[in-house]
Amino acid sequence: MQKLSDCFILANGVSIPCIGFGTWQIPDGDTVTQSILKAIEAGYRHIDTAAAYNNEKGVGRAIRSCGLKREELFITSKLWNTQRGYDKTLAAFEQTMSDLQLDYLDLYLIHWPANAKQSQDWQKINQATWRAFEKLYKDKRIRAIGLSNFLPHHLEPLLNQAEILPLVNQIEFHLGYTQRVVVDFCQLHHILIEAWSPLGQGKVLAEPELIRIADKYQKTPAQICIRWCLQGGILPLPKSTTSSRIRENTMVFDFELSAQEVQTINQLPHCWDSGFYPDKIDF
Ligand code: A2P
């Protein structure tokens, strides 16, 4: 990746801008609208939201007022856990479209897999949800469909039954929490990995080795984290409400980490993760 407008190409041929602007935990209303307008001004063309972030209306306002054509933007949203199943998924999608005030989505993800702790029928529930995703895709309401927080044992039964294969899996991925088994499985199956919390919510940025590499390139630790994702073929979704950081997080195209540095960061020990494990969550 050489510049912010460069894209990863999904297995169905759709282009997805290589850094997305994450909006998790950004409150609805002016805060999210202004953050997105700043991001678009800084050059982002890819916005990631979700029904559960409760900010889709503010995201939609930013999309309408930014002055760009709809097709110049790549918009992702996600289906929340209470809306799984065929009929509920179709209804939840319409609600998302109404909140965003859009007539198509670029990417729609199942936010979390149903898991065995929640229901004996978790596999059937994921399959019914996916069938609704396939219908929306075939109806051309969505340009690409995918998953979030799916581990290989959630993915395998879904892949066995799917008519249209998932194109993306968005997972927690940052220094010290690289979920290598999930990444390898998805890359083998041509499923693009997107990184949520690529900066470890800011909690991994004081890692001494990261600071050493950042100093070498006269970059910030956050910029090294983002560059490291890109060089690993992973699409980062950094989030910020601070103008200077929104810009800073795009300035990662004028240097390249060596293979040795990528390896060093890959191998840094666990230091922090969110604790949201897909088989343990009860929401
Ligand atoms: P803020 O929104 O106040 O700028 P992640 O994307 O991993 O979830 O991390 C988001 C957190 O990291 C937010 O608290 C955000 O704070 C902070 N953050 C975003 N960009 C940077 C940066 N370039 N340097 C330091 N902290 C950052």
Side-chain angles (χ1 to χ4, degrees):
M1 299 295 158
Q2 311 293 327
K3 53 187 187 308
L4 189 55
S5 56
D6 282 353
C7 290
F8 289 101
I9 309 294
L10 299 177
N12 68 346
V14 165
S15 300
I16 177 168
C18 67
I19 299 180
F21 183 67
T23 64
W24 181 36
Q25 294 174 330
I26 305 186
D28 200 10
D30 251 19
T31 313
V32 79
T33 304
Q34 291 307 321
S35 300
I36 293 175
L37 289 174
K38 282 183 224 160
I40 289 174
E41 199 182 320
Y44 293 82
R45 294 293 179 266
H46 171 178
I47 314 291
D48 182 274
T49 184
Y53 299 172
N54 282 318
N55 59 16
E56 285 175 315
K57 289 185 179 152
V59 171
R61 259 194 302 281
I63 294 168
R64 283 193 302 288
S65 60
C66 72
L68 294 177
K69 292 194 201 115
R70 168 67 184 91
E71 58 272 24
E72 292 179 84
L73 293 169
F74 190 101
I75 311 295
T76 301
S77 192
K78 312 184 192 83
L79 174 87
W80 187 238
N81 303 351
T82 50
Q83 310 301 314
R84 296 180 183 122
Y86 188 82
D87 291 333
K88 284 211 265 179
T89 296
L90 296 180
F93 175 76
E94 296 307 336
Q95 185 63 51
T96 274
M97 300 310 276
S98 157
D99 287 345
L100 286 165
Q101 290 277 295
L102 296 179
D103 53 11
Y104 74 90
L105 262 190
D106 294 281
L107 177 63
Y108 197 39
L109 307 176
I110 302 181
H111 207 146
W112 293 87
N115 67 36
K117 191 175 155 189
Q118 294 165 335
S119 169
Q120 281 180 0
D121 285 337
W122 64 274
Q123 295 193 18
K124 282 192 193 142
I125 294 169
N126 288 334
Q127 275 154 17
T129 306
W130 190 248
R131 276 206 312 281
F133 271 56
E134 291 176 329
K135 173 180 167 44
L136 292 165
Y137 179 77
K138 285 189 220 161
D139 290 349
K140 301 205 183 316
R141 306 293 307 282
I142 318 174
R143 297 175 66 227
I145 51 177
L147 310 167
S148 182
N149 301 300
F150 274 58
L151 305 179
H153 65 273
H154 306 120
L155 269 156
E156 262 163 350
L158 192 120
L159 293 181
N160 287 337
Q161 297 283 325
E163 188 184 330
I164 296 162
L165 295 175
L167 297 158
V168 168
N169 190 18
Q170 183 181 126
I171 61 170
E172 180 174 0
F173 178 91
H174 48 75
L175 170 171
Y177 194 66
T178 54
Q179 303 212 65
R180 206 65 246 171
V181 173
V182 190
V183 171
D184 288 347
F185 181 95
C186 287
Q187 291 186 337
L188 189 71
H189 288 85
H190 310 291
I191 297 170
L192 178 72
I193 294 280
E194 294 184 339
W196 63 261
S197 288
L199 312 177
Q201 295 182 30
K203 294 178 176 72
V204 304
L205 301 177
E207 156 63 46
E209 194 60 31
L210 183 68
I211 293 175
R212 186 190 67 73
I213 296 171
D215 287 347
K216 173 179 159 191
Y217 291 103
Q218 299 193 316
K219 289 285 168 184
T220 64
Q223 289 170 324
I224 301 298
C225 288
I226 293 167
R227 180 76 209 178
W228 165 69
C229 284
L230 292 173
Q231 288 189 217
I234 289 172
L235 189 155
L237 301 164
K239 168 187 75 258
S240 177
T241 50
T242 317
S243 300
S244 57
R245 287 172 168 174
I246 289 173
R247 274 196 309 279
E248 176 184 321
N249 295 344
T250 68
M251 295 175 181
V252 297
F253 298 100
D254 54 355
F255 71 106
E256 185 164 352
L257 299 170
S258 69
Q260 179 62 54
E261 287 160 347
V262 168
Q263 197 56 14
T264 299
I265 302 173
N266 284 344
Q267 288 169 352
L268 288 173
H270 179 271
C271 51
W272 177 85
D273 68 67
S274 70
F276 292 143
Y277 306 124
D279 281 320
K280 298 213 172 125
I281 57 155
D282 54 6
F283 49 78

